[in-house]
Amino acid sequence: MQVSTISASIVTPNGTVYEGNVHMISVRATGGDMGILPNHIPIVAPLKISAVKLQKEDAPDEYVAVSGGFIEVRKGSVVTILTEAAERKEDIDTERAQRAKEQAQQRLSELNENTIEFKEAKQELERAENRLHVASL
Ligand code: ATP
């Protein structure tokens, strides 16, 4: 069945962060940027720590910060993004993200590059920078 909108949801272990009918979803997959339109072929793809853009025809674009995860496109234009953490642009606490960014930078300057802690701090920095970026869109 051909449909003209996508039924989109962004789901985390803490609950659903976004649910709505949209005309296009833009995501950053590990393999590159993807724009999903209605009737897209079914896929599953891993996402980077990045911004998800949700476009409607008659409303302003919406943005959600995601901490990686997966996008699943199913038949009938049903799209689910499943991720560890996600925040809508307007729910991002920029002071908290700025603090997290500074803490991660501090830790990175103190840690040895070959440790798991260093990798974790790099991910923390990426999440904080992504939140600051999405809040500024
Ligand atoms: P922090 O060090 O500030 O906790 P973090 O990257 O370690 O940041 P996460 O583990 O990714 O945080 O997320 C924990 C929970 O807090 C999630 O529900 C996430 O959506 C929320 N969260 C994290 N940072 C922010 C923020 N700046 N604004 C709003 N919600 C946030």
Side-chain angles (χ1 to χ4, degrees):
M1 188 184 65
Q2 297 278 305
V3 290
S4 59
T5 59
I6 297 167
S7 167
S9 53
I10 300 178
V11 180
T12 77
N14 293 325
T16 300
V17 170
Y18 186 95
E19 208 157 31
N21 291 317
V22 301
H23 284 90
M24 182 166 174
I25 305 175
S26 304
V27 296
R28 179 152 291 182
T30 56
D33 291 352
M34 295 172 53
I36 311 286
L37 290 165
N39 308 302
H40 194 282
I41 53 158
I43 51 141
V44 172
L47 297 178
K48 290 190 172 175
I49 295 171
S50 57
V52 174
K53 182 179 178 184
L54 301 122
Q55 289 172 273
K56 292 184 181 174
E57 248 163 27
D58 48 5
D61 296 346
E62 294 176 276
Y63 294 92
V64 177
V66 295
S67 298
F70 288 88
I71 182 167
E72 179 196 45
V73 181
R74 294 205 304 276
K75 262 203 280 189
S77 298
V78 178
V79 174
T80 307
I81 290 173
L82 187 60
T83 179
E84 193 60 39
E87 305 84 35
R88 283 168 175 259
K89 171 186 152 147
E90 49 286 0
D91 294 334
I92 292 173
D93 178 343
T94 51
E95 283 176 22
R96 175 174 168 182
Q98 186 59 39
R99 273 198 308 277
K101 177 180 169 178
E102 285 163 19
Q103 274 171 17
Q105 283 171 329
Q106 178 66 30
R107 289 185 63 214
L108 284 171
S109 70
E110 292 163 359
L111 288 164
N112 181 314
E113 273 192 40
N114 300 317
T115 59
I116 291 173
E117 288 80 5
F118 188 88
K119 279 194 190 135
E120 285 171 356
K122 260 180 95 171
Q123 297 270 301
E124 268 174 49
L125 179 60
E126 238 189 283
R127 288 197 298 271
E129 285 180 335
N130 183 47
R131 286 173 177 131
L132 291 170
H133 168 65
V134 171
S136 76
L137 289 171

